[in-house]
Amino acid sequence: MQPTGRLLGSGRSADVYEIDEAWVLRRDREGHGDALAEGAVMEFVRRHGYPVPRVRPADSTRTELVMERLHGPTMLDAFGAGRIGASEAGDVLARLLRQLHTVPARHSPTARVLHLDLHPENVILTADGPRVIDWTNTEEGDPGLDWGISAMILAQVAVTDEALAAPARTMLTALLADPSHLTEAGLAEARRRRAANPTMSRREVELLGEAEDLIRSVVS
């Protein structure tokens, strides 16, 4: 097990610890993922020019990933601080999806690398531009699914009565502005996967139908 310093943050299934000023350790609490495989994808897309943290595979394990320490707020925190607007945030997410889907898959000539969890909490706004983190769900497949997942995440917030509902709707509208690559099949599969996600609350699952209706109204 890699020695660590102070806890820097926690997500639904993992904790991030300080190693030093240049590196951090993400430790999976649940033990379901494969950090080594995730790190391999991150290094692959980075070699194709995609903005992700560097990783140290030799110091990582299946449940622990050593990666570059990024300095800057998440897109969500930057929005809360007034450093980025909702429409701009949606534009950045769309640009990141389009850029990712230019990266060829490693194992299929017809597929692309997918992130499958690209949303404002998984984008760090550094001095050198946005960087995409948390590649736990990455797969190879059709880009329409990636667009569907990102749209569904934003729409689930947009249909609540929370303070972020209106900004989430604006982000969603900007995300799905032309040229969006959302497809019927991608949206249907995104809803199915969100419903089966064990980290989601019962209320989040209940909102999926309303969220899908909102997405359809935006794209129409």
Side-chain angles (χ1 to χ4, degrees), residues 27-41:
R27 179 173 291 150
D28 182 6
R29 292 193 305 272
E30 307 297 331
H32 299 313
D34 186 340
L36 288 174
E38 180 182 351
V41 173

Side-chain angles (χ1 to χ4, degrees), residues 16-150:
V16 177
Y17 295 90
E18 179 183 62
I19 294 178
D20 54 36
E21 280 300 305
W23 299 94
V24 297
L25 172 77
R26 195 200 69 205
R27 179 173 291 150
D28 182 6
R29 292 193 305 272
E30 307 297 331
H32 299 313
D34 186 340
L36 288 174
E38 180 182 351
V41 173
M42 292 171 68
E43 280 295 282
F44 177 76
V45 298
R46 190 177 69 84
R47 289 196 298 271
H48 281 77
Y50 196 73
V52 298
R54 291 174 295 145
V55 300
R56 292 196 334 221
D59 296 322
S60 302
T61 68
R62 193 183 65 81
T63 59
E64 295 185 343
L65 183 63
V66 176
M67 58 186 175
E68 178 185 2
R69 184 172 184 173
L70 302 179
H71 296 278
T74 67
M75 179 184 284
L76 183 62
D77 288 341
F79 170 78
R83 295 174 57 178
I84 187 173
S87 182
E88 182 183 357
D91 288 341
V92 171
L93 291 174
R95 186 171 72 245
L96 289 169
L97 282 173
R98 286 194 293 269
Q99 182 180 354
L100 176 61
H101 299 150
T102 65
V103 178
R106 294 181 298 167
H107 305 112
S108 169
T110 60
R112 288 292 183 266
V113 177
L114 311 180
H115 184 276
L116 298 181
D117 199 22
L118 187 59
H119 57 76
E121 288 184 280
N122 282 339
V123 178
I124 306 294
L125 301 183
T126 74
D128 297 322
R131 303 276 194 95
V132 178
I133 62 171
D134 195 351
W135 292 73
T136 306
N137 295 338
T138 184
E139 294 178 12
E140 296 180 355
D142 189 290
L145 175 58
D146 230 356
W147 286 86
I149 292 287
S150 292

Side-chain angles (χ1 to χ4, degrees), residues 198-218:
T199 69
M200 288 183 49
S201 68
R202 178 178 177 181
R203 178 56 180 157
E204 287 174 314
V205 174
E206 291 172 345
L207 290 171
L208 287 171
E210 193 174 346
E212 183 177 352
D213 290 342
L214 174 60
I215 293 168
R216 293 185 182 281
S217 71
V218 169

